[in-house]
Amino acid sequence: MVSGTRRPASWWLPRTVVALRVRVFEKVNGDRVVTLPNATHGPEVFERVYAHPAANGRSAGAGLSDLFWYWLAPGPEVHQEHLEPGERYDEVAATTRRILAGSSAALAEAAGRAVADVLHTLPGTRISLVRLRDLLMPAWAAFAYELVFRRPCPPHARDLITAHADDVISALKCTGLRHPRRRARLTAYLRERIAAGEVPHRLPASLTPAEQALYLQGTFFNTAVVQLSEATAHVLLALARHPRVQRRLWERPDDDRYLARVIDETLRLYPLFGIAHRITTDEVPLDDTTVLPAGSVVCFSYPDYQATGHERPDEFDPDRWSDPAARKVRYIPFGVAANRPCPAWRVSPIVLRVAVREVLRRFRLDSTASHTRSNPHRAPCLLIPRGLSPGRRRLETMRRFVRLRDGVEDVTRGVRQLVLGTVMVLHARRLRLAARYFDEPGPGRCPVAHHGGSHGSNETTENKESNG
């Protein structure tokens, strides 16, 4: 067993700031919201409701959608995760699966090359203090580009993708405001590539060329890049904080089974999805006496669900997965099969293993920073080149600096997240991007099923009233 004490997210933060921030986001949800699991309805209800065919609405009819559309703009109306069920969603999802298809060897090779290119920029003769998410995001930007275009990623494109992905995830975590012009530069680049016939895949015919660019931007150069960057940062930070686990991986570089356990345990303890929300399109029973009416917003809490059914759920223990029975416990790193699982469920484990090995081959990891699911500090870590023997006093000084800076940043970041989060919530409520989109007549936006359509007036509103 490998035990590790996780510092709670509120460490160093004044409780009043945390309480105020939680209150702001609670107000966004409105009154017709239920979060599962909860004190009354446990993980079994979570599983049953999540898989219910009527828990399939994505954006229409939920106040929470205005906030997510605001954060993910431009193009949330054609983002695969936000399309309503129907023919358009089916076509987009099929396109994503085709682009992600490929042999495991080819995917691994592309990922290893992209990560190695980034690691080559680090010095091999001294310790580097990095933010793991920032370090690896350009690698996953290049990897995603190669998936879409089937050619190496030019530096200019990698910079555009990285800037866009970083802007989206910073806004989602409320550590920074959105910068629509930064995002628009990537949109323009993708539209040019599509117009030039440089995308070797058949893109959804139901989307206009402008929408096709937004689809690629949202699915591959936003979600894919962000989630792979976050996942890799979590795994590496977990290894940095648990040297015995890291040493075992280093000593057994070909032990795929143990590396898989490390990744599984990381994604169990630090799931990439905090809350997934769905809107009910019909009545959904919670129990024998409680029924959710159509139009209810159901928030599925991955951290709460994945903490159930495990002994010592707060401890990082990869060996828990050595028991075959562990596979039957509550663990859904890529969602549930009955309700839009992550389309990268096959690709992600392959490329994550490659990335972790590529880093460990070059560096020993060390970090005294806190490790929480939200990862707002972007995973500070010391990278010690293999073969380098740093002085004990120097290493301890650097470790103390990382710990001290992390504590100071907790205070300033918490206040900043409260202020910026409030600003963005209010701005999103004023713009009402999702609500206005579904209220306006247009292709695919009928009262029964909203399948998405042209970008319409939202693009104009977004550009005129953007912040940043």
Side-chain angles (χ1 to χ4, degrees):
M1 180 184 74
V2 179
S3 62
T5 303
R6 289 191 298 151
R7 196 186 328 180
S10 57
W11 185 270
W12 290 101
L13 288 177
R15 292 191 177 187
T16 52
V17 172
V18 177
L20 282 170
R21 188 171 150 219
V22 170
R23 181 63 176 162
V24 167
F25 287 99
E26 281 179 347
K27 295 295 289 182
V28 177
N29 289 332
D31 298 326
R32 302 184 67 183
V33 176
V34 60
T35 300
L36 298 174
N38 56 42
T40 305
H41 301 100
E44 295 81 7
V45 177
F46 175 104
E47 295 165 357
R48 177 165 49 77
V49 174
Y50 208 163
H52 196 285
N56 63 344
R58 290 303 290 120
S59 295
L64 194 61
S65 300
D66 285 327
L67 185 56
F68 277 100
W69 280 40
Y70 175 86
W71 275 329
L72 296 175
E77 75 280 4
V78 294
H79 192 295
Q80 182 169 328
E81 266 301 294
H82 293 271
L83 282 170
E84 300 301 309
E87 292 180 0
R88 172 164 285 193
Y89 168 76
D90 294 339
E91 184 185 23
V92 165
T95 302
T96 302
R97 289 193 296 271
R98 284 198 306 273
I99 294 176
L100 290 174
S103 70
S104 297
L107 292 167
E109 181 183 357
R113 186 169 56 249
V115 173
D117 286 346
V118 166
L119 297 181
H120 283 326
T121 65
L122 296 174
T125 56
R126 58 180 174 83
I127 301 174
S128 297
L129 173 55
V130 302
R131 309 267 184 172
L132 291 169
R133 195 189 83 195
D134 296 350
L135 173 69
L136 292 161
M137 189 171 281
W140 295 124
F143 174 75
Y145 184 96
E146 191 164 333
L147 279 178
V148 171
F149 291 99
R150 298 291 189 237
R151 65 179 67 176
C153 180
H156 174 64
R158 190 179 74 168
D159 292 344
L160 288 175
I161 296 166
T162 302
H164 164 75
D166 179 71
D167 193 63
V168 171
I169 192 61
S170 296
L172 280 165
K173 294 180 187 296
C174 300
T175 56
L177 293 173
R178 305 173 317 146
H179 299 83
R181 292 180 182 176
R182 184 181 303 168
R183 303 182 187 192
R185 285 193 283 271
L186 176 58
T187 309
Y189 176 86
L190 293 173
R191 291 187 68 169
E192 290 173 0
R193 302 284 76 75
I194 292 172
E198 295 180 10
V199 180
H201 304 279
R202 185 174 73 255
L203 297 176
S206 63
L207 304 184
T208 67
E211 290 171 333
Q212 290 173 349
L214 295 174
Y215 154 69
L216 292 176
Q217 182 165 347
T219 302
F220 292 95
F221 303 127
N222 171 7
T223 300
V225 173
V226 164
Q227 298 289 47
L228 283 172
S229 302
E230 288 277 302
T232 317
H234 275 302
V235 175
L236 294 176
L237 185 58
L239 293 176
R241 288 171 48 85
H242 297 88
R244 281 185 293 166
V245 177
Q246 182 183 169
R247 190 179 310 115
R248 181 171 170 181
L249 282 178
W250 164 247
E251 293 172 350
R252 305 178 187 179
D254 298 324
D255 191 345
D256 284 349
R257 184 171 299 180
Y258 187 65
L259 178 53
R261 292 173 188 169
V262 170
I263 293 174
D264 283 342
E265 179 67 351
T266 302
L267 296 182
R268 181 198 68 82
L269 195 54
Y270 310 105
L272 297 180
F273 303 103
I275 293 288
H277 80 282
R278 299 288 187 268
I279 302 100
T280 59
T281 53
D282 202 346
E283 292 185 344
V284 176
L286 280 181
D287 52 40
D288 294 338
T289 59
T290 309
V291 175
L292 291 175
S296 298
V297 179
V298 188
C299 293
F300 299 97
S301 173
Y302 278 59
D304 290 338
Y305 174 76
Q306 293 192 162
T308 63
H310 296 275
E311 294 183 4
R312 310 175 312 277
D314 293 334
E315 293 181 1
F316 181 79
D317 182 11
D319 285 329
R320 76 172 74 241
W321 299 98
S322 60
D323 182 357
R327 292 292 162 188
K328 300 179 181 179
V329 299
R330 298 175 179 112
Y331 176 60
I332 51 171
F334 303 106
V336 297
N339 199 333
R340 298 198 189 189
C342 174
W345 63 268
R346 181 184 74 91
V347 175
S348 295
I350 295 171
V351 299
L352 273 177
R353 289 195 295 269
V354 171
V356 172
R357 283 202 181 95
E358 198 69 39
V359 174
L360 289 183
R361 187 167 65 86
R362 291 172 167 80
F363 300 100
R364 178 165 66 88
L365 312 175
D366 190 294
S367 183
T368 51
S370 58
H371 194 175
T372 62
R373 191 211 67 80
S374 61
N375 189 28
H377 54 22
R378 313 190 307 281
C381 186
L382 299 172
L383 299 185
I384 307 168
R386 295 290 178 185
L388 181 68
S389 298
R392 190 170 185 177
R393 180 175 297 180
R394 174 170 172 73
L395 181 58
E396 282 303 314
T397 299
M398 297 184 75
R399 298 181 83 244
R400 284 196 296 270
F401 171 77
V402 172
R403 183 186 298 111
L404 177 63
R405 187 181 66 174
D406 184 43
V408 173
E409 287 182 348
D410 268 348
V411 176
T412 57
R413 183 173 53 243
V415 175
R416 185 169 71 252
Q417 285 178 298
L418 172 64
V419 173
L420 299 185
T422 303
V423 168
M424 288 188 284
V425 165
L426 295 175
H427 195 203
R429 292 184 68 174
R430 179 159 61 91
L431 293 182
R432 298 178 65 246
L433 296 178
R436 291 174 59 184
Y437 176 83
F438 289 108
D439 286 344
E440 295 171 1
R445 282 173 281 183
C446 62
V448 177
H450 306 290
H451 298 163
S454 61
H455 198 54
S457 62
N458 287 333
E459 184 173 18
T460 302
T461 305
E462 173 77 9
N463 291 337
K464 286 182 178 179
E465 301 192 60
S466 61
N467 57 7

